[in-house]
Amino acid sequence: MTDKEADRLLVVDDDPRIAQMLIRYFEDNGYKVTAVGNGAAMRNELSRNRFSAVFLDLVLPKGESGLELLRELRNTSDVPVLMLTGQDDVTDKVVGLEVGADDYIGKPFHLRELLARLRTVLRRRTANEPTGRREIDGKGSLSFDGWRLDLSRRRLTSPSGSDVSLTTGEFDMLVVFVKNHGRVLSRETLMELTRSRSLEAFDRAIDAQIVRLRKKIEADPKDPTLIQSVRGVGYVFTGRLD
């Protein structure tokens, strides 16, 4: 991102020492930083402001889980998320990447490394989005089983006529599936065709994103009829094109 107004970071961490350290360091490096200590404050900030990236602590007060907040966030936003944690648990790291984290950084960390990782995440997004948008955006619409994808407005409308909220990644993936109706697509192919920023971090994140997409378009997400799994290969879209 080159727009300086967009160079705003959100820190979600209940440790005031870490929050202040990140505020000072990143503001010294040209970013605007907002720090909050819980999920409610995070939701409030995200509803009012646009952020380039979010630093999200894995463990928050009052039993809040950074993973649950990330999962909630991914239902509505594709903002880059860098998880911060004092736990060295491979399972947590895998789950975090699958849910949609862009990077996973253990405490204690070096601030210069944190800045480098942030810049890498933002460069990856900037490099991948233009090509992906040219391939996925366009004029007109795609329709299947009563659903309608408006490509220019990037909007999904259900058979009942209501708008369904999709993240950027979910919209792109659905477009790729519909345009490749009946073709079995591997995870690698899906990553290539969607130019996915978040999914590059970890292959199995494809599965997590498809689970979220199924919940929004399938009558029964546990017994999908539109996006079906092909064991050992990938996925295939079998909906009826209108």
Side-chain angles (χ1 to χ4, degrees), residues 33-53:
V33 186
T34 300
V36 297
N38 56 62
M42 180 193 81
R43 296 183 195 97
N44 182 56
E45 286 295 334
L46 289 170
S47 70
R48 299 190 304 117
N49 297 299
R50 177 176 177 264
F51 292 94
S52 297

Side-chain angles (χ1 to χ4, degrees), residues 60-117:
L60 293 168
K62 298 181 181 178
E64 288 185 312
S65 164
L67 290 177
E68 287 303 317
L69 291 178
L70 173 61
R71 187 174 285 110
E72 176 186 324
L73 179 59
R74 280 292 171 255
N75 285 327
T76 59
S77 173
D78 247 11
V79 62
V81 176
L82 294 87
M83 297 294 293
L84 303 176
T85 178
Q87 301 179 12
D88 187 19
D89 190 322
V90 173
T91 300
D92 283 338
K93 181 175 183 179
V94 169
V95 172
L97 293 171
E98 287 180 339
V99 170
D102 295 85
D103 205 345
Y104 203 97
I105 302 149
K107 300 177 182 177
F109 46 74
H110 293 286
L111 289 171
R112 289 180 62 187
E113 179 186 0
L114 201 61
L115 176 61
R117 288 183 180 235

Side-chain angles (χ1 to χ4, degrees), residues 62 91 118 122-123 136 150 164 207 215 224:
K62 298 181 181 178
T91 300
L118 172 67
L122 296 181
R123 276 199 306 269
I136 293 170
D150 186 326
V164 177
D207 301 330
K215 289 179 179 178

Side-chain angles (χ1 to χ4, degrees), residues 1 15 19 27 36 44 46 48 58 70 85 120 151 175 181 186 188 202 209-210 212 220 223 233:
M1 297 182 182
D15 187 332
E27 287 189 344
V36 297
N44 182 56
L46 289 170
R48 299 190 304 117
L58 180 65
L70 173 61
T85 178
T120 296
L151 300 181
V175 170
H181 175 266
S186 67
E188 183 179 61
F202 197 74
Q209 191 168 82
I210 288 175
R212 295 195 300 271
D220 182 359
D223 185 22
V233 182

Side-chain angles (χ1 to χ4, degrees), residues 224-236:
T225 60
L226 299 175
I227 302 175
Q228 299 189 12
S229 301
V230 180
R231 188 177 180 85
V233 182
Y235 298 91
V236 59

Side-chain angles (χ1 to χ4, degrees), residues 141-150 155-159 166 174-175 177-179 181 213 216-218 225-227 237-242:
S141 63
L142 300 171
S143 299
F144 63 93
D145 288 89
W147 294 82
R148 182 174 180 271
L149 278 163
D150 186 326
R155 175 179 295 176
L156 174 65
T157 306
S158 74
L166 297 179
L174 184 55
V175 170
F177 272 126
V178 176
K179 285 187 173 183
H181 175 266
L213 186 55
K216 297 182 179 182
I217 66 172
E218 297 279 5
T225 60
L226 299 175
I227 302 175
F237 182 79
T238 56
R240 184 189 72 254
L241 299 184
D242 298 336

Side-chain angles (χ1 to χ4, degrees), residues 143-215:
S143 299
F144 63 93
D145 288 89
W147 294 82
R148 182 174 180 271
L149 278 163
D150 186 326
L151 300 181
S152 60
R153 301 173 70 184
R154 295 183 64 80
R155 175 179 295 176
L156 174 65
T157 306
S158 74
S160 66
S162 60
D163 288 340
V164 177
S165 176
L166 297 179
T167 66
T168 299
E170 290 165 355
F171 186 92
D172 292 349
M173 183 168 289
L174 184 55
V175 170
V176 165
F177 272 126
V178 176
K179 285 187 173 183
N180 290 274
H181 175 266
R183 176 187 171 192
V184 178
L185 302 173
S186 67
R187 292 171 180 81
E188 183 179 61
T189 299
L190 285 168
M191 283 192 288
E192 178 182 352
L193 292 177
T194 59
R195 296 296 193 271
S196 177
R197 166 189 54 80
S198 62
L199 302 185
E200 285 183 351
F202 197 74
D203 251 17
R204 285 171 54 194
I206 284 281
D207 301 330
Q209 191 168 82
I210 288 175
V211 167
R212 295 195 300 271
L213 186 55
R214 281 172 170 167
K215 289 179 179 178

